[in-house]
Amino acid sequence: MSDQVIAIASDHGGFELKEVLKADLEEMGLAIVDLGCYDTSSVDYPDYANKLAAALQNESATRGILVCGSGIGISIAANRHSHIRAALVHDALTAKLSREHNNANVIVLGGRTTGIEVARDCLKVFLNTKFEGGRHQMRIDKLL
Ligand code: RB5
């Protein structure tokens, strides 16, 4: 994990959870790029998905975390970028599968839909689970 730089971003609906997850990343000693937002003022989630996609594209980050109110809008926006595999997860199992089967490079959470402790658990699993490769890579190769 030590070579990882984690980009994190949210809209206002995800701001509070983003701050909690950011503190966890700091506690883990990981390098973090916080792309905003920086308070609960209303903003537009595509702007933050696009910022995070740019950070992964230019390799200033290796993985990403996105949060909006439901996680839905910001995951739709992130997945418009062909280099992003953003997984909206709701528990540790979906977080684990997003890595093992989908090689997700971005985890997405809903700040208004997923409890804080569940979200923290999802993040840990996402960071510590390896991609299984094999048949799953062949399927990923078919994503356009
Ligand atoms: C913002 O009010 C809310 O629509 C947004 O955070 C997200 O839930 C969209 O999918």
Side-chain angles (χ1 to χ4, degrees), residues 38-108:
Y38 302 113
D39 59 37
T40 55
S41 308
S42 183
V43 293
D44 300 329
Y45 58 78
D47 296 337
Y48 293 88
N50 293 343
K51 282 185 191 203
L52 188 129
L56 267 63
Q57 180 98 65
N58 70 25
E59 299 182 349
S60 55
T62 49
R63 284 205 208 170
I65 303 166
L66 287 171
V67 193
C68 70
S70 63
I72 296 170
I74 209 160
S75 60
I76 291 171
N79 280 312
R80 294 276 177 117
H81 299 268
S82 60
H83 63 292
I84 299 294
R85 289 178 303 283
L88 172 56
V89 307
H90 292 98
D91 50 36
L93 177 60
T94 47
K96 179 169 172 275
L97 290 170
S98 79
R99 291 288 311 132
E100 287 179 347
H101 288 198
N102 311 110
N103 199 14
N105 52 4
V106 177
I107 185 174
V108 187

Side-chain angles (χ1 to χ4, degrees), residues 25-43:
L25 295 170
E26 283 165 352
E27 183 78 17
M28 291 174 210
L30 291 170
I32 307 161
V33 183
D34 183 354
L35 299 169
C37 63
Y38 302 113
D39 59 37
T40 55
S41 308
S42 183
V43 293

